[in-house]
Amino acid sequence: MFLTKKRSFGLLAILGMMLFFIVSCGSYINDSDANDPIARVGEAYLYKKDIESLLYEGISKVDSVTVVTNFINNWASKRLLLGKARINLPEEKLAVFDQLVAEYQADLYTRAYKDALVSQAADSMVTKTQMRNFYEKEKENFRLKEQLVKIRFIELPKQFLNKESVIKKLKSFKEEDIAYLDSIGVQFKKLNFNDSIWVESERLLNEIPPLTLENQSKYLKKSQFFELEDAMGVYLTKVVDVRNINEIAPLAFIEPTIKQVLLNRRKLNYIRSLETEIIDEAIKDNEFEIYAKDK
């Protein structure tokens, strides 16, 4: 028993020395060295080129030996276990697994080929007209599950002196008002002047802490202005428009979704057409036949 342990220790020491030499010379591996084997399990070989990616610049030699040793052990254990499995598992199970592997391989290849063909041939342009036509046809399927709002918003420091003027400009929001607010925008803690964008009301609860689930119905009304305050600042908000839960979602808000739906449909139609063409061509070239049995 003692001799066996000693022999095992000697083998590990030799392996460690070999790996240390390999990783020490990793940066000098040329094309011929890269094809030299460093480990074998049955008829399967692991080559120096297979571990090159592990030996990145800056890694210490000690760490390299550890990484390479673990990689070799994992590589070997997988192949050894695979060999044992093929010997010990029932034939019927092996047949099922081999079939699954073959089907998975076929799926990977065909999916990659289809994707390549689609990316080359499929049109990725979706026009505004196409999206609007789809929206008008399917709008009942686009009912909101969350409230949407359009707002103008400014957060002022509590000590801000000219609040009334800011409120007046924010409500009016003519070109000269926008220019004025932009000119003093550095004095604001937060601002949003893009009132053409729909946003989820839930996002406002994060931006305006005094606005809560309990009181939002009081403040989030179309064309309403409100002012709220807490210890952090003063929040001035002009609500431009509101869409409530279960109302039809505005087209501008769901355009990205509609575009993706149309592109996916176009892709599926292209793939179906491609599959039909492939089968028709194979039948024409006598590469594909179906043998009908006589009844």
Side-chain angles (χ1 to χ4, degrees):
M1 187 69 175
F2 176 76
L3 290 176
T4 302
K5 289 183 177 179
K6 186 174 182 180
R7 182 170 179 270
S8 177
F9 176 79
L11 289 173
L12 289 174
I14 293 171
L15 177 60
M17 292 174 62
M18 291 174 61
L19 292 175
F20 190 83
F21 175 76
I22 290 170
V23 300
S24 297
C25 302
S27 59
Y28 301 100
I29 294 176
N30 55 42
D31 291 340
S32 59
D33 291 336
N35 292 315
D36 289 342
I38 59 173
R40 179 184 66 83
V41 171
E43 299 300 320
Y45 288 86
L46 184 68
Y47 298 93
K48 286 183 180 179
K49 63 184 179 181
D50 297 322
I51 66 168
E52 284 182 347
S53 61
L54 304 176
L55 307 178
Y56 58 86
E57 185 177 355
I59 189 173
S60 69
K61 292 179 180 179
V62 174
D63 288 341
S64 296
V65 171
T66 301
V67 169
V68 172
T69 301
N70 290 336
F71 182 86
I72 292 175
N73 287 338
N74 289 333
W75 175 85
S77 64
K78 286 181 181 179
R79 278 149 187 80
L80 290 168
L81 285 169
L82 178 60
K84 296 292 184 183
R86 290 196 172 279
I87 292 172
N88 293 291
L89 286 176
E91 288 294 331
E92 57 271 20
K93 274 198 172 182
L94 290 175
V96 171
F97 292 153
D98 287 341
Q99 180 64 30
L100 289 173
V101 170
E103 290 176 358
Y104 181 64
Q105 183 184 54
D107 286 342
L108 283 178
Y109 287 153
T110 55
R111 189 180 301 117
Y113 182 58
K114 287 178 183 178
D115 289 343
L117 291 176
V118 168
S119 64
Q120 292 175 7
D123 183 9
S124 61
M125 177 67 70
V126 178
T127 66
K128 293 285 187 181
T129 300
Q130 289 171 328
M131 285 191 283
R132 174 162 289 283
N133 289 341
F134 182 83
Y135 173 76
E136 293 297 333
K137 182 180 178 181
E138 304 286 344
K139 63 170 53 178
E140 285 298 324
N141 295 319
F142 296 117
R143 293 198 173 270
L144 291 170
K145 296 181 180 179
E146 55 190 342
Q147 186 185 51
L148 301 180
V149 294
K150 289 181 178 180
I151 64 159
R152 298 192 292 271
F153 164 75
I154 293 175
E155 180 183 349
L156 300 175
K158 291 201 69 172
Q159 66 275 19
F160 192 86
L161 298 178
N162 201 13
K163 183 180 69 173
E164 296 305 320
S165 176
V166 171
I167 291 175
K168 182 179 178 181
K169 301 291 185 183
L170 188 63
K171 287 181 177 180
S172 174
F173 215 60
K174 296 176 182 177
E175 286 189 15
E176 57 269 25
D177 301 319
I178 297 173
Y180 171 77
L181 293 172
D182 280 334
S183 69
I184 63 171
V186 292
Q187 302 179 47
F188 306 152
K189 297 180 71 173
K190 293 179 186 177
L191 61 85
N192 172 55
F193 293 159
N194 193 349
D195 58 11
S196 63
I197 301 296
W198 290 100
V199 297
E200 299 91 342
S201 59
E202 185 176 342
R203 288 177 55 185
L204 297 185
L205 305 186
N206 296 324
E207 298 293 337
I208 309 174
L211 186 65
T212 65
L213 288 172
E214 290 73 25
N215 65 18
Q216 68 176 19
S217 60
K218 174 182 176 182
Y219 296 109
L220 297 182
K221 297 178 181 179
K222 185 174 180 179
S223 303
Q224 178 161 296
F225 174 86
F226 65 88
E227 175 184 342
L228 295 173
E229 183 176 339
D230 64 9
M232 302 301 296
V234 178
Y235 308 89
L236 309 176
T237 307
K238 172 66 177 181
V239 181
V240 176
D241 203 354
V242 177
R243 291 288 176 89
N244 292 310
I245 293 173
N246 208 39
E247 289 185 358
I248 302 296
L251 175 59
F253 182 74
I254 58 171
E255 270 189 356
T257 301
I258 292 177
K259 180 178 180 180
Q260 195 58 51
V261 169
L262 292 175
L263 288 175
N264 288 341
R265 288 188 177 185
R266 190 178 294 170
K267 177 180 177 180
L268 289 174
N269 289 335
Y270 176 79
I271 290 175
R272 290 193 190 102
S273 175
L274 175 67
E275 290 172 343
T276 301
E277 289 177 8
I278 287 175
I279 290 176
D280 290 344
E281 184 178 349
I283 292 174
K284 181 180 178 182
D285 295 339
N286 203 31
E287 294 180 354
F288 174 47
E289 294 180 84
I290 298 177
Y291 300 106
K293 292 185 179 181
D294 294 333
K295 294 185 179 180

